[in-house]
Amino acid sequence: GSVAFRDRTQVLGRRAMFSHHIIADSKRQAIKDWAIQLGLGGLAKIGWPGVIIVEGDEQNVRLYVDGLSRLRWKHFVVRGEEMVDVPPGQLLEDHLCLPARSFREFGPDAMSEFASTCRQLGLEELFLIALKLGGSSGKGKKDRAKDGDRKGVKATPSRQGRH
């Protein structure tokens, strides 16, 4: 009927971003605030290197990445992305690994805690791709069998790197 436009397929998006470092208070604030404003869930490991993982509505994930890309970075690149079609009649929220509108920051020395949190939440593959430690790029396949139903995580080419 006339409400067909409401039935557009919702797409859940996830991105793993890598930065040479995340130190500046202004950047840390933007990373957190923009995610929450766009209704995204996210995690960031600050210091050297910096890693950001976000998820939510694909359109808002794209806006978020575009916004962050415009900030001044020594090195910033999207290394992993995942897009999941939400089946008709289901809610995007039911497919989230992270709570919407929540953002957690891990300190400079908390990489192992960040890694184990990603593992617990089902985001380990994106974490590994962000650090070039495996995922769909080839290496590190032995751990992926138990998570084999999660397809569609792919490493993105490094061409988005901006300074």
Side-chain angles (χ1 to χ4, degrees):
S2 58
V3 287
F5 71 93
R6 291 273 303 127
D7 296 332
R8 80 169 174 90
T9 304
Q10 280 190 297
V11 180
L12 170 62
R14 296 189 181 101
R15 295 295 184 283
M17 293 151 274
F18 176 90
S19 168
H20 178 270
H21 63 265
I22 301 172
I23 299 297
D25 288 340
S26 58
K27 239 178 231 157
R28 287 169 56 190
Q29 200 66 48
I31 288 166
K32 179 180 179 178
D33 291 351
W34 294 353
I36 290 169
Q37 286 165 17
L38 288 165
L40 306 178
L43 304 169
K45 200 293 270 174
I46 63 166
W48 291 264
V51 181
I52 305 164
I53 295 178
V54 294
E55 75 166 358
D57 183 276
E58 172 64 19
Q59 290 177 308
N60 289 347
V61 169
R62 285 184 191 179
L63 288 171
Y64 180 77
V65 172
D66 285 349
L68 286 187
S69 300
R70 294 181 211 289
L71 298 176
R72 290 187 53 161
W73 298 92
K74 180 175 176 124
H75 177 71
F76 177 80
V77 64
V78 175
R79 285 201 176 152
E81 61 181 20
E82 188 175 11
M83 279 155 265
V84 180
D85 287 335
V86 177
Q90 292 188 23
L91 297 173
L92 184 82
E93 290 72 28
D94 294 338
H95 295 266
L96 297 175
C97 294
L98 296 163
R101 289 185 176 76
S102 74
F103 203 93
R104 186 167 168 202
E105 185 181 272
F106 293 76
D109 299 319
M111 185 63 91
S112 61
E113 187 190 349
F114 184 78
S116 64
T117 299
C118 289
R119 193 173 309 116
Q120 290 160 15
L121 294 170
L123 297 169
E124 184 176 32
E125 195 168 1
L126 277 173
F127 167 78
L128 293 172
I129 288 171
L131 293 177
K132 291 190 170 175
L133 295 174
S136 299
S137 54
K139 300 184 293 295
K141 283 215 166 52
K142 65 182 188 319
D143 296 315
R144 292 181 55 224
K146 61 181 180 282
D147 203 23
D149 57 330
R150 273 301 264 313
K151 50 196 174 297
V153 179
K154 66 176 201 251
T156 52
S158 305
R159 58 178 170 61
Q160 290 112 309
R162 290 202 191 95
H163 297 300

